Amino acid sequence: MTMEETGSRTREAAEAAVLDEKERDEAPSAKAAEAGSAPMTGASRRKLESRRKLMAAARKLFVERGYHETRPQDISKAAGVGHGTFYLHFEDKLDCFLAFTEEAADELHEFVEQHHAVAGSLEEGIHELLTAVFEYSDENPGVLGAALTDISVLSTGDTGRKMPVDRWAEVWAELLEKWKEEGEAASDLDARMAGYLIVGAIKQGGAYGYRRRLDRKRMIDGMTKLFVRALKK
Amino acid sequence: MTMEETGSRTREAAEAAVLDEKERDEAPSAKAAEAGSAPMTGASRRKLESRRKLMAAARKLFVERGYHETRPQDISKAAGVGHGTFYLHFEDKLDCFLAFTEEAADELHEFVEQHHAVAGSLEEGIHELLTAVFEYSDENPGVLGAALTDISVLSTGDTGRKMPVDRWAEVWAELLEKWKEEGEAASDLDARMAGYLIVGAIKQGGAYGYRRRLDRKRMIDGMTKLFVRALKK
Amino acid sequence: MTMEETGSRTREAAEAAVLDEKERDEAPSAKAAEAGSAPMTGASRRKLESRRKLMAAARKLFVERGYHETRPQDISKAAGVGHGTFYLHFEDKLDCFLAFTEEAADELHEFVEQHHAVAGSLEEGIHELLTAVFEYSDENPGVLGAALTDISVLSTGDTGRKMPVDRWAEVWAELLEKWKEEGEAASDLDARMAGYLIVGAIKQGGAYGYRRRLDRKRMIDGMTKLFVRALKK
Amino acid sequence: MTMEETGSRTREAAEAAVLDEKERDEAPSAKAAEAGSAPMTGASRRKLESRRKLMAAARKLFVERGYHETRPQDISKAAGVGHGTFYLHFEDKLDCFLAFTEEAADELHEFVEQHHAVAGSLEEGIHELLTAVFEYSDENPGVLGAALTDISVLSTGDTGRKMPVDRWAEVWAELLEKWKEEGEAASDLDARMAGYLIVGAIKQGGAYGYRRRLDRKRMIDGMTKLFVRALKK
DNA sequence: CATGAATGAGGATTCATTCAT
DNA sequence: CATGAATGAATCCTCATTCAT
């Protein structure tokens, strides 16, 4: 399993964009269409372009080096924009990290919804969810590990932003709630608490599995079995 | 529950405990104690004293402020020793943090062994273990949270030191193995993997519980139930 | 003679010269000048200005106080720039010192070529060379002494940079080689070796002469006589 | 030639003493005899012993690592004595270095006097002197290079101590003076100045020769020829 | 005379952020 | 909107020296 790998596959696409300097000289209309909105002026076109490049670079570096080893300068440089541009798009470094984190959460969310009909039984649901998570992790090595970084290690004060852990815990909580209503899950379950337990288990287990280079299928099956037994009525 | 509190209630008590236990210190000069615990000559006594004060200060600050917000000189100052003394006892800041981390792991280990006969059935065992963990966490607020800090956030390279997560995961793994042999735990269990899952779950669940100020007893019972169902034959 | 004076008489003149010559700077951005010496854009102009100020300050301090008594922040302060700017222009302190050293070597080189037609007979050549060296030393008191500092005292590892001693030894070696070919110098001469001997002699003799405040003319004449006798066919 | 080598031959003897911990338990009388003076009390015996070990360690480290890379602690440790003992024997680090420097100067002096009758003609004298210097350098690799370190790089103020450069320059000056009186050397020679030139030349030439691993005999012969021509009537 | 733990001024360097262009 | 030179507070760590034992 690859929850914390440092390589990259889908990364390439993003990087290619970063490296493609010519792109910003393209006809604006094409890009605007991509963004799905009204045709942009040259200025906002460029701004969006910059942000995309910065996000791609930030993800790459946060994943490869971690938060503290990545300087805003590195991100700007990797993105091919000036150092100042960074602060045109992010309040500060932490803001940028959180943006990365949220992007990853969004992606996983979308990924899960696209790849798996999360409507079936508890067994099926858990298995599909875990499969989706591990598949995403394979396609985006290291991203989950980085995105799940404990924010309290980075910032003392509360940022007021919802971290991936919380979003994912909630996803699980909602599912469990649904299963409880359907009589599939144990009725005395504290769904919220369980959501956090599951996310914690996946995070730690994923990290362990990656380090030990365990077989993905076996991991998914093992975890599914455990979770199902723990949760089922 | 108090797994990640930042205050310091039983601080004094904890420090006193630290003091008492430091006789088994890792400073080479302390090896004299090994040879029959002679009253110790002046020099090595002073050194031990310094180390004890540094360790206590380090623990206090790492817990209260976290790794990155704690400077070596803060620790020295809090310990009432000179800046240089810090580096007489620790290679660098990370080394000091790891020492803290190991101390915490040792303490919890001992605490668990002293307070709970971990010999009973799976249900009893899990309940006792969780109770011990949460009790330790009450008496040493924030210590577990700090000690479980993901090392990869602090240091890029491998330190070669066994982190608390791994130690605790192993403790659980051994127990599970025993229960498997005794026919109490599911025989198809990957004990090692499960150990990590449990530690991850406890860590994340503990943090959540603390934030939400959940009732300790309910947490222990809820987690026990979940774990037992997941693991039992 | 003034080879190792610590004052600074013609400081201003020297700095002005530095300013004028800096167009051939090694900062990559300055390469614009190479392409026709355009008036230079704002950013690179500022950067060049900073570097010039830093180089001037570094020279002044290295000469007055020596390498170990000069802190990067002293240089920055004297240059009227921030601490960080120093590291925008130099890898580290040693890099800055070597830059100073190379600048001095360049200056002397140019000085010698401008002030003295090094084409004549062995006697004339040596006399002119020595005169040029001592004149440069008068105009740039202490610079030669500082620039000839033995690098091995400052850095353990090899820096891979050619030190002034070597450059100057080579200049002498080439001249000697020429004189050998012209039949003016002894044919059994090891020109390279002799180059080093001469530079060593000048360095030590210069330092001695300065300390004893010897008459410059007498020194030049005395050294010329010795060198000529040693080298002439 | 080996003027600046870092290996060691005669070094071994000294080190052996350093390592021989038992030595200080020997009968005092024997050692006293060696020192050539009245039988020492136990205390002064030990003190002398400590100093010898410190000097040996200092020489070794100053030669191998240079002044700035050698800490008093390193010397004490290598000498097998406590850190404080260092300051029982030397005012400070510089004092220790100067002691090393003087020891080396004494040694070379003695070596030259023992190995070469410096009484003959100018040619013979110069050749013998150079031979002695290079032989000493072979037997004490790196020592001359280290001992000739420019003190002004180490200390700003004047130490009031006569450095090896000066001592050696004087030796040469005296010889030249003698040869002038005997009509062997050019009568218009500034002997003092020439002494410094020669020492400078030897130092620089030696360093060059070592780096290039030149043949010793050729170096001696080449230098002799040059010096003789420069100095002879 | 010997020790080695303790010291803290001092140093080199970094990096998140700003702002003039 | 973009740039990248400039910044300087902040950080980790060293090391010559002292002094209680």
Side-chain angles (χ1 to χ4, degrees), chain A residues 14-119:
Chain A
E15 278 183 39
V18 172
L19 296 174
D20 189 5
E21 303 277 55
K22 298 301 177 309
E23 204 168 2
R24 59 179 152 205
D25 299 328
E26 276 173 20
S29 50
K31 273 300 154 187
E34 202 181 61
S37 59
M40 278 173 267
T41 71
S44 70
R45 236 309 299 298
R46 277 175 77 192
K47 179 155 190 182
L48 228 63
E49 198 66 0
S50 286
R51 190 186 168 87
R52 244 199 28 220
K53 289 192 280 187
L54 281 167
M55 287 295 293
R59 174 204 281 248
K60 180 175 153 64
L61 293 173
F62 283 140
V63 166
E64 281 177 6
R65 306 187 194 165
Y67 182 77
H68 286 288
E69 303 292 315
T70 301
R71 291 140 51 201
Q73 300 195 33
D74 299 329
I75 297 176
S76 306
K77 198 175 185 181
V81 303
H83 302 74
T85 307
F86 182 92
Y87 288 90
L88 246 43
H89 294 275
F90 307 107
E91 290 236 334
D92 53 24
K93 189 183 165 185
L94 183 58
D95 181 45
C96 175
F97 181 76
L98 294 178
F100 148 63
T101 256
E102 281 155 22
E103 189 189 63
D106 288 345
E107 274 180 28
L108 178 60
H109 208 81
E110 207 170 341
F111 190 93
V112 166
E113 289 192 337
Q114 281 178 6
H115 290 61
H116 301 271
V118 191

Side-chain angles (χ1 to χ4, degrees), chain D residues 26-43:
Chain D
E26 276 173 21
S29 50
K31 274 299 153 187
E34 201 182 62
S37 60
M40 278 173 268
T41 72

Side-chain angles (χ1 to χ4, degrees), chain A residues 207-215, chain B residues 170 192 196:
Chain A
Y208 167 74
Y210 162 65
R211 257 169 29 215
R212 294 274 168 159
R213 306 185 187 291
L214 299 189
D215 173 63
Chain B
E170 264 171 39
R192 253 188 143 60
Y196 277 93

Side-chain angles (χ1 to χ4, degrees), chain C residues 66-80:
Chain C
Y67 182 78
H68 286 289
E69 302 293 316
T70 301
R71 290 145 32 193
Q73 63 175 291
D74 296 331
I75 297 176
S76 305
K77 197 175 187 182

Side-chain angles (χ1 to χ4, degrees), chain D residues 183-226:
Chain D
E184 287 230 67
S187 57
D188 57 350
L189 200 68
D190 178 341
R192 254 188 140 59
M193 179 83 234
Y196 277 94
L197 293 177
I198 288 172
V199 170
I202 294 178
K203 182 183 165 187
Q204 202 72 255
Y208 168 74
Y210 162 65
R211 256 169 29 216
R212 295 272 169 160
R213 307 185 184 289
L214 299 189
D215 174 64
R216 197 177 89 185
K217 192 180 174 335
R218 276 197 54 205
M219 283 197 66
I220 296 177
D221 289 345
M223 286 174 66
T224 304
K225 206 176 296 170
L226 240 56

Side-chain angles (χ1 to χ4, degrees), chain B residues 46-47 50 81-82 84-85:
Chain B
R46 266 178 87 197
K47 187 158 190 181
S50 286
V81 304
T85 306

